[in-house]
Amino acid sequence: MAQRPDIIVVTDLAKSFGDNRVLRDVDLTIKEGEVVAIIGPSGAGKSTFLRCLNKLEDVTSGHVVVNGHDLTSKETDLDAVRQDIGMVFQHFNLFPHMSVLENVMLAPVELRRGPKDEIRRQAMALLARVGLEEKADARPAQLSGGQKQRVAIARALAMKPEIMLFDEATSALDPEMVGEVLEVIRTLADQGMTMVLVTHEMGFAREVADRVVFMADGVIKEQGSPEEIFDRPQDPRTQDFLSKVL
Ligand code: ADP
Ligand code: MG
């Protein structure tokens, strides 16, 4: 993986909300095709960090460079950068009054990414990819949580992003639906998508991640291969966290 280009370069990132210093001294470089899992206790700053990667949050100081674009520079076209990055959240936020297919087609149609027939064809192909072709005409309310989350993933993929961010994509699901969503994420990993996953699924992180990052109190305490972090954690905070969740 060493020869692949860097696609995300975060240097000396800090983020505060008022007096609350939520992130500090964060340095992280991610290579094209790399899968990075971020783990850590609630309140560590994991979601805030992900949101800084597509400028859903303004950073307080430091630099975030995505695909060569410095998100902290005023000249950067943020819409263009955001189109390179798909994001999937804990809650799916599908539009209830639209069909599954219309939800997936919405962004490419609005951004005029091509003829509508072609966008529809690609949206159907994405629904097939997440195993939901036969639900194209259903409304979100007719789907299970796992199915909704798979639609949300297809919707994010519809913009043909180079990077996918997942913020606890399976945390709101009933246990029996977690597997089908992880399976879709695993397939994306196998296909070479660059991904940053905030997850509580430690077994999954161990299996799919190239690298695991442990965050606590707004800093990266430790990072390494899944074996290094899960089998030989060095930092006492990592050891303590893993002893509670594994
Ligand atoms: P995690 O995802 O690791 O649980 P978060 O990034 O959600 O952590 O939150 C880290 C800290 O930032 C928490 O103390 C939280 O209250 C605070 N925080 C997050 N978002 C905001 C916001 N929009 N305004 C003020 N404080 C926030
Ligand atoms: Mg969070």
Side-chain angles (χ1 to χ4, degrees), residues 139-160:
R139 295 287 157 119
Q142 298 169 278
L143 304 184
S144 71
Q147 290 172 333
K148 282 183 207 168
Q149 193 59 300
R150 287 189 277 149
V151 174
I153 293 171
R155 177 183 55 180
L157 292 172
M159 291 304 292
K160 303 192 172 87

Side-chain angles (χ1 to χ4, degrees), residues 43 46-48 90 167-168 198:
K46 305 181 299 296
S47 294
T48 303
Q90 188 173 346
D167 193 356
E168 295 190 23
V198 172

Side-chain angles (χ1 to χ4, degrees), residues 21-202:
R21 292 221 298 171
V22 169
L23 294 172
R24 59 193 161 85
D25 305 328
V26 176
D27 291 294
L28 190 68
T29 298
I30 298 176
K31 293 194 175 293
E32 233 175 77
E34 200 176 6
V35 178
V36 174
I38 301 182
I39 62 170
S42 178
K46 305 181 299 296
S47 294
T48 303
F49 177 68
L50 273 197
R51 293 164 61 82
C52 287
L53 296 183
N54 64 353
K55 232 184 169 207
L56 287 175
E57 299 287 357
D58 284 322
V59 311
T60 303
S61 62
H63 287 280
V64 177
V65 179
V66 175
N67 228 356
H69 303 285
D70 187 343
L71 302 197
T72 47
S73 156
K74 285 191 182 64
E75 280 99 72
T76 299
D77 177 358
L78 285 181
D79 288 335
V81 175
R82 287 211 183 107
Q83 289 173 30
D84 290 343
I85 306 182
M87 188 154 177
V88 176
F89 303 89
Q90 188 173 346
H91 298 286
F92 337 106
N93 307 315
L94 299 175
F95 288 109
H97 59 288
M98 292 181 183
S99 72
V100 161
L101 181 64
E102 286 165 342
N103 267 279
V104 176
M105 291 175 61
L106 183 65
V109 167
E110 289 205 330
L111 292 159
R112 301 179 205 285
R113 281 298 189 86
K116 209 165 173 182
D117 282 350
E118 176 59 19
I119 291 172
R120 179 179 290 108
R121 201 187 57 74
Q122 292 180 1
M124 284 304 295
L126 283 171
L127 286 174
R129 210 163 141 190
V130 300
L132 288 173
E133 238 175 338
E134 77 285 5
K135 296 291 185 188
D137 297 322
R139 295 287 157 119
Q142 298 169 278
L143 304 184
S144 71
Q147 290 172 333
K148 282 183 207 168
Q149 193 59 300
R150 287 189 277 149
V151 174
I153 293 171
R155 177 183 55 180
L157 292 172
M159 291 304 292
K160 303 192 172 87
E162 298 197 31
I163 301 164
M164 286 284 282
L165 309 177
F166 290 86
D167 193 356
E168 295 190 23
T170 59
S171 301
L173 299 177
D174 291 333
E176 72 271 23
M177 292 168 188
V178 168
E180 65 194 60
V181 173
L182 294 183
E183 184 55 39
V184 170
I185 300 174
R186 181 182 294 118
T187 305
L188 288 174
D190 292 343
Q191 291 165 348
M193 178 70 81
T194 308
M195 298 201 281
V196 187
L197 317 165
V198 172
T199 185
H200 293 303
E201 300 286 337
M202 298 300 150

